[in-house]
Amino acid sequence: MKTLKNLLLTLACLLGASGLHAASELNLFGWSEYVPQAVLDGFTKETGIKVNFETYGSNEEMLSKLVAGGSHYDVIQPSDYTDEVLIRRHMLAPLDYAQLPNFKNIGEAFRKLSHDPEGKYTVPYMTGTVGIVVNTDKVKDPIKGYGDVFQDKFKDRLVVLNDNREIVSWALTSLGVSFNDINADTLAKARPVVAKWIKLVKVFDSDSPKTALLNGDVDLGIVWSGEAAILWNQDKKFQYVIPAEGAHMFVDTLCIPATSQHVAEAHQFINYILRPEVSKLISDAFPYTNPNVEARKLLSPEQLANPASYPAGGNLKTFRDIGKAASDIDTLVTDLKSAQ
């Protein structure tokens, strides 16, 4: 049976590559501002497979929709710690690497990481960090860490990610507590810090936090590194800083849900993404850290020198699955926001 399934998958991929494909579609559920339209169009042009693209703004939003059911996605883009949840709940289909020959382009440093130690379910898409952006034309103070950002004098001059776990992780890190150590005691320590900080924030935005900085609505931000890289590309006044206390490094992945109804097409799409020239298009549009080492060879020296795309050093750690404590974080931050 397994051999027959592999033969059918291979036949589907060969038909797609030859242009003799049947009309089909693919349902992609991914992060906002993370997949270039040119990539989707190129895939459809080559294979005839229509891509229906739906977006989300947080891992929690994505997970909630998957758990609720009712939607049949074929490829999703969870971050590392969410992969752990999906694997534990048997919500991902194992990958058939015979249909992913371009996986060879992924660097060894990004394979079989802690969220998927056997490498059975996930393919790295992009990696990155969460750090500080400073408009150095407006802010002359040295900004090295979270404490430098969340000062009363910067009230209403800040944009931060609209992500409850991120916000709590910054508070814990500033207190010298691991951001994966989530329990009643650590959340009690974080609460007054978060309460003070959110009162200073003007904009909460996970989709496009760079916009408020570009428009001059704010002067400082804590954002995804890819957003910071775009800012730096547009104007070198936007400096990127890895917080001295430590920072979150994420690995965003491509996976196939166990409920996928288009498994062959999903493998085709992932393999297409792994082509160096396609992966380069993603780096061009969304300049995160690219785990595709062959694609990196196609990047310009300027792209590789971007301090947000490829930061030098820093105390970086990944999120781990924290189980039910995630809802405790949501409750804490939601309560504090509503109390403002």
Side-chain angles (χ1 to χ4, degrees):
M1 183 65 70
K2 184 175 180 182
T3 301
L4 176 60
K5 180 180 178 182
N6 289 343
L7 286 173
L8 290 172
L9 285 171
T10 302
L11 178 61
C13 290
L14 290 174
L15 288 174
S18 65
L20 300 176
H21 46 72
S24 190
E25 64 180 10
L26 175 81
N27 298 312
L28 171 64
F29 195 29
W31 289 92
S32 302
E33 298 204 26
Y34 213 16
V35 184
Q37 188 61 43
V39 169
L40 302 181
D41 292 343
F43 177 72
T44 298
K45 182 178 180 180
E46 179 175 312
T47 66
I49 299 170
K50 176 185 176 184
V51 180
N52 304 311
F53 186 25
E54 186 178 336
T55 66
Y56 52 83
S58 73
N59 281 288
E60 289 67 32
E61 177 187 347
M62 180 271 296
L63 184 59
S64 209
K65 193 155 188 179
L66 286 178
V67 170
S71 298
H72 295 288
Y73 300 111
D74 301 303
V75 178
I76 56 175
Q77 283 186 314
S79 298
D80 38 29
Y81 70 97
T82 309
D83 288 329
E84 292 186 59
V85 179
L86 294 168
I87 292 169
R88 189 180 70 246
R89 296 186 181 185
H90 307 289
M91 294 176 68
L92 297 180
L95 297 170
D96 179 2
Y97 280 95
Q99 310 307 319
L100 300 174
N102 290 329
F103 183 77
K104 66 181 184 295
N105 299 325
I106 295 295
E108 290 292 338
F110 301 99
R111 302 186 187 193
K112 297 184 178 181
L113 300 179
S114 56
H115 58 276
D116 184 13
E118 295 182 23
K120 290 178 61 176
Y121 302 98
T122 67
V123 168
Y125 177 76
M126 286 285 163
T127 72
T129 55
V130 176
I132 301 165
V133 173
V134 185
N135 181 339
T136 56
D137 281 356
K138 298 292 185 68
V139 178
K140 301 302 181 182
D141 303 41
I143 304 295
K144 297 181 179 179
Y146 301 111
D148 298 326
V149 172
F150 293 104
Q151 299 187 64
D152 291 341
K153 63 181 175 180
F154 294 137
K155 179 177 172 59
D156 292 330
R157 297 171 65 187
L158 306 177
V159 58
V160 303
L161 299 177
N162 190 25
D163 187 304
N164 294 342
R165 183 167 181 184
E166 285 289 350
I167 294 168
V168 169
S169 78
W170 309 333
L172 290 173
T173 302
S174 75
L175 295 170
V177 178
S178 168
F179 53 49
N180 288 312
D181 185 9
I182 308 295
N183 54 53
D185 290 339
T186 57
L187 288 180
K189 292 177 181 177
R191 187 181 185 91
V193 178
V194 175
K196 176 186 175 183
W197 285 2
I198 62 175
K199 292 177 181 177
L200 305 176
V201 176
K202 183 174 183 178
V203 180
F204 292 91
D205 186 353
S206 289
D207 292 339
S208 184
K210 65 181 177 297
T211 300
L213 285 153
L214 278 172
N215 291 343
D217 297 330
V218 298
D219 304 322
L220 289 145
I222 303 182
V223 307
W224 313 118
S225 58
E227 293 278 294
I230 292 172
L231 287 167
W232 190 83
N233 283 337
Q234 295 197 24
D235 196 322
K236 301 301 185 287
K237 71 183 180 183
F238 293 111
Q239 179 185 357
Y240 187 64
V241 178
I242 296 291
E245 303 96 328
H248 172 208
M249 181 185 79
F250 55 84
V251 181
D252 291 332
T253 65
L254 295 171
C255 314
I256 302 174
T259 54
S260 169
Q261 297 181 354
H262 305 98
V263 175
E265 292 86 349
H267 279 85
Q268 280 183 267
F269 181 76
I270 293 173
N271 196 52
Y272 181 80
I273 291 288
L274 290 171
R275 288 186 193 171
E277 64 274 16
V278 174
S279 187
K280 177 188 181 296
L281 291 178
I282 299 170
S283 282
D284 290 343
F286 306 114
Y288 288 87
T289 306
N290 197 328
N292 188 319
V293 294
E294 294 304 312
R296 281 198 202 183
K297 294 177 183 178
L298 304 178
L299 300 180
S300 70
E302 290 76 19
Q303 286 176 297
L304 294 171
N306 189 311
S309 299
Y310 299 95
N315 179 18
L316 305 174
K317 295 181 180 179
T318 59
F319 281 174
R320 300 302 305 270
D321 171 34
I322 54 174
K324 295 180 180 179
S327 63
D328 296 332
I329 288 177
D330 287 340
T331 299
L332 183 151
V333 178
T334 301
D335 288 350
L336 292 175
K337 283 184 176 179
S338 63
Q340 288 192 82

